Amino acid sequence: MDKRKLVVSTGNGHKIDEIKSILSDFDIEILSKNDIGLEEFDVIEDGETLEENSIKKAKELAEKTDYMVIADDTGLFVNALNGEPGVFSSRYAGEEGNSKKNCEKLIQNLEGIEDRSAYFKTVIALITEDKKVFKADGLCKGTIIKEAKGENGFGYDPLFVPEGYNKTFAELGNDVKNKISHRALALEELKNIINSLI
């Protein structure tokens, strides 16, 4: 029998590697949308919440394939900024996916503010081959430092120090991050869901 396949609604190699490593216990082939010829596939993320965006992305991808699909949405929520950048995390500075500009804008907006507490949240939507929808989420609390540190990771990782640590996600490296991050926790919950489906 062929391996079950799981298509992830991303072309981001970092994300695929992270997901493969966390779901390595399962006999499932993990593919990016690019692997199934959907490089151009894109979904307008116009939901007001991470849940809305991840479910919308998963549903639109599920219409294009018969495999299981997952889509996630992640946001960084800074308490002193009323939850900004939140659902706009990847385009905070106005340009989709420009991490350097996003980090610069965040540092600027937090200038002179003492409360630098924040949390990352990931919501993953899973749609099975028979189009049932499941949802998993994960949350990681921490603080935002005043200048970027570390070479690993992506997005806001160089600015975010998770609770209980004195280094940023970008300094801690993937081994630690893949155990404690918001996405890792959401994927752990997803593992339980997949386990119940297999």
Side-chain angles (χ1 to χ4, degrees):
M1 192 179 135
D2 282 350
K3 256 188 183 187
R4 278 177 88 170
K5 292 180 172 59
L6 174 66
V7 182
V8 186
S9 179
T10 185
N12 180 326
H14 286 298
K15 213 182 257 191
I16 293 290
D17 290 344
E18 200 174 353
I19 291 169
K20 276 183 178 171
S21 117
I22 290 169
L23 297 181
S24 59
D25 301 350
F26 296 108
D27 191 25
I28 291 176
E29 188 180 347
I30 293 169
L31 304 164
S32 73
K33 66 184 179 75
N34 300 7
D35 293 332
I36 61 165
L38 293 175
E39 291 90 346
E40 301 304 311
F41 173 77
D42 200 20
V43 177
I44 295 165
E45 296 180 32
D46 52 6
E48 289 181 17
T49 63
L50 301 176
E51 283 84 354
E52 283 177 22
N53 282 336
S54 58
I55 289 171
K56 180 182 182 185
K57 283 197 282 191
K59 280 186 170 169
E60 291 192 22
L61 181 59
E63 286 169 14
K64 309 246 178 221
T65 178
D66 296 327
Y67 303 134
M68 282 192 293
V69 304
I70 62 172
D72 74 311
D73 199 17
T74 293
L76 173 66
F77 297 80
V78 180
N79 296 319
L81 300 177
N82 300 317
E84 277 186 21
V87 289
F88 303 107
S89 292
S90 68
R91 50 191 187 279
Y92 191 39
E95 192 182 317
E96 180 70 40
N98 188 328
S99 299
K100 190 171 182 291
K101 282 190 177 167
N102 289 338
C103 286
E104 284 166 1
K105 180 173 179 180
L106 183 60
I107 289 170
Q108 207 178 333
N109 287 350
L110 277 172
E111 209 168 300
I113 294 175
E114 283 199 16
D115 174 13
R116 303 181 79 86
S117 62
Y119 63 91
F120 268 119
K121 184 177 180 186
T122 290
V123 178
I124 301 175
L126 165 77
I127 299 185
T128 57
E129 295 91 344
D130 56 0
K131 309 302 179 204
K132 287 197 176 85
V133 181
F134 296 87
K135 187 175 70 72
D137 49 42
L139 192 123
C140 182
K141 293 180 177 178
T143 49
I144 303 296
I145 57 171
K146 293 182 178 176
E147 57 180 11
K149 287 184 182 174
E151 300 301 319
N152 299 310
F154 52 99
Y156 298 93
D157 289 357
L159 291 178
F160 184 83
V161 176
E163 251 178 24
Y165 291 81
N166 57 7
K167 289 182 173 176
T168 66
F169 267 158
E171 293 174 295
L172 287 168
N174 288 340
D175 288 351
V176 177
K177 188 183 168 188
N178 286 352
K179 289 188 181 77
I180 64 165
S181 79
H182 42 293
R183 187 176 289 115
L185 296 172
L187 283 164
E188 279 302 321
E189 198 178 309
L190 183 73
K191 267 166 102 165
N192 297 334
I193 295 168
I194 292 174
N195 213 12
S196 67
L197 295 172
I198 286 177

